[in-house]
Amino acid sequence: MLSRENVTREALSALEAQRAANLMEEKRRRAEAEEKSAAVRDLLAKRQRLFFSGMRGAFASPDKARAISENMQTEMERINSELRTALIACGLPQDYLQPVYRCPACRDTGYVGEPVHEQCACLKRAVMNRLYQAEGLQGLERENFAAFDESIFPDEPIEGRKTSQRVFIKKCRQYCEEYADTFAAGEGKGLLLCGRSGLGKTYLMNCVAQRVLERGYSVVVISAYKLIEAMRRFQFGEESMEQVQDMLACDLLCIDDLGSEPMLRGVTVSSLYHIINERRNANRATVITTNLDSELLYEKYDDRIAARLTDPSRMKVIPFIGTDVRRFAAQK
């Protein structure tokens, strides 16, 4: 589980290494061009002399700096034109000696815009790719709202109801997408997606996580089993505080399959209460999927946990109904 801040630092460090590699490539290209063509070598030396002489002249005579700059620019353009011709003559592209960038928009700095800097699309993409490789987030590239396919759900009315499972899941998707699009850190509003297996709860939770992550917030996705295992290891000194702190401090915590975790004496209930209560007190949102309904939550857990998970002022409970979509798909 990686924080967005750490991942951004890693991505910027990679861009710094890229800039160093760019300089090495520029030097290699220059050496190759100079070796292939004496004309290229002479023009590069002439361009360098022009630059330094112009700088010296401007510093020595500030009142003539503008005229010197204009003359230098005209002469520089003439030399560059001759240089492009010389490069083509020796079999190299005319832009072979231009600065090397992987991303021309930000010149491999990660930021664009003047005077206000903002993250370049290449940096945003690098951060997202790194986050997708983090534990628990690998599936978000595939399970997102853009890939959501309602056609895999039955379109016949659910027994005892007038609506079909397909219509129902579309409403669930709409609510989850609105939640993700309007999510804001510090509001503390969460979701409890409950119902039997195979109804799309985990998929929609991952859709929410992907959209919130894409919007720039920190997200941790973890199964209830792994959460309890992490807390157990931390309690017995086998795990660092960092992983627990990630679960407590991220903008959105997504816990999958609550109820499948082992009930360890002195660990499970107290750990769940600690995570849920601390996040609640800090107004940090939690999205949870579970096969348990409200009544079973009260039976399985401490009343304090169940009450917090079903509190209508802080958690929107969405019951999923219908047939296991995996069985339906297999019958088609």
Side-chain angles (χ1 to χ4, degrees):
M1 292 180 288
L2 302 175
S3 71
R4 194 181 190 91
E5 293 75 16
N6 289 339
V7 170
T8 301
R9 282 196 291 270
E10 289 179 5
L12 287 172
S13 179
L15 283 173
E16 184 177 354
Q18 180 62 46
R19 292 196 297 275
N22 293 345
L23 290 175
M24 293 291 291
E25 175 62 12
E26 289 174 17
K27 291 178 180 179
R28 187 199 66 77
R29 291 185 181 188
R30 176 169 178 146
E32 179 188 359
E34 288 181 334
E35 184 178 350
K36 281 191 170 186
S37 169
V40 168
R41 184 167 60 251
D42 292 343
L43 286 166
L44 287 173
K46 187 175 181 180
R47 189 172 68 176
Q48 187 172 27
R49 288 194 301 271
L50 173 65
F51 176 77
F52 285 119
S53 66
M55 292 294 291
R56 284 195 298 269
F59 279 119
S61 306
D63 56 321
K64 299 179 181 178
R66 182 167 183 173
I68 291 172
S69 176
E70 290 175 354
N71 291 335
M72 185 172 68
Q73 184 176 353
T74 300
E75 181 64 12
M76 193 72 76
E77 288 175 357
R78 186 187 66 79
I79 294 174
N80 285 336
S81 177
E82 292 181 12
L83 186 58
R84 288 191 291 271
T85 301
L87 286 169
I88 293 172
C90 69
L92 294 173
Q94 65 175 2
D95 62 350
Y96 200 59
L97 299 180
Q98 291 295 311
V100 175
Y101 306 119
R102 179 174 291 179
C103 176
C106 70
R107 299 184 177 183
D108 295 337
T109 65
Y111 291 93
V112 293
E114 238 0 285
V116 178
H117 289 325
E118 62 179 16
Q119 288 189 355
C120 180
C122 74
L123 176 58
K124 293 178 181 177
R125 185 167 55 250
V127 169
M128 291 299 295
N129 288 341
R130 287 170 180 267
L131 285 170
Y132 284 145
Q133 301 309 311
E135 180 181 359
L137 302 182
Q138 298 94 332
L140 301 192
E141 286 182 288
R142 301 181 304 276
E143 298 188 354
N144 50 65
F145 289 116
F148 182 86
D149 182 10
E150 65 194 44
S151 68
I152 66 173
F153 294 88
D155 200 24
E156 296 76 26
I158 299 171
E159 185 176 352
R161 295 174 179 265
K162 294 182 179 180
T163 188
S164 70
Q165 188 173 348
R166 185 175 301 177
V167 170
F168 185 83
I169 198 67
K170 284 173 65 177
K171 291 180 179 178
C172 292
R173 176 252 171 90
Q174 181 180 3
Y175 187 90
C176 287
E177 190 163 15
E178 288 175 359
Y179 173 85
D181 286 339
T182 59
F183 177 89
E187 290 188 351
K189 301 288 187 178
L191 301 175
L192 179 66
L193 312 181
C194 55
R196 292 180 299 175
S197 298
L199 302 182
K201 303 185 302 298
T202 297
Y203 193 105
L204 279 177
M205 181 194 73
N206 285 341
C207 290
V208 169
Q210 191 273 344
R211 181 66 57 82
V212 172
L213 186 70
E214 188 179 61
R215 291 182 57 223
Y217 296 99
S218 58
V219 177
V220 168
V221 179
I222 189 170
S223 68
Y225 184 95
K226 286 189 175 181
L227 183 150
I228 295 304
E229 177 61 13
M231 294 298 287
R232 184 197 67 78
R233 292 173 62 84
F234 172 68
Q235 185 172 326
F236 290 97
E238 302 171 13
E239 185 70 73
S240 69
M241 180 63 187
E242 184 177 357
Q243 187 178 31
V244 176
Q245 189 61 31
D246 281 344
M247 292 188 287
L248 290 173
C250 62
D251 296 322
L252 179 64
L253 173 64
C254 296
I255 305 174
D256 188 35
D257 207 10
L258 184 70
S260 66
E261 71 285 351
M263 296 299 290
L264 305 176
R265 184 185 299 274
V267 176
T268 301
V269 172
S270 62
S271 295
L272 283 174
Y273 178 76
H274 176 70
I275 293 289
I276 292 167
N277 193 57
E278 287 297 313
R279 292 188 59 80
R280 178 187 175 92
N281 290 342
N283 282 326
R284 294 192 174 99
T286 306
V287 172
I288 297 172
T289 73
T290 180
N291 290 357
L292 308 176
D293 58 22
S294 297
E295 184 176 339
L296 290 175
L297 284 172
Y298 274 93
E299 288 182 14
K300 188 175 181 70
Y301 301 109
D302 188 304
D303 286 358
R304 297 174 301 169
I305 294 177
R308 282 162 172 75
L309 293 181
T310 57
D311 179 2
S313 69
R314 304 293 291 272
M315 297 288 285
K316 171 68 174 178
V317 179
I318 303 179
F320 283 60
I321 56 176
T323 304
D324 186 332
V325 71
R326 292 165 295 195
R327 286 193 290 171
F328 172 73
Q331 295 169 2
K332 289 179 70 175

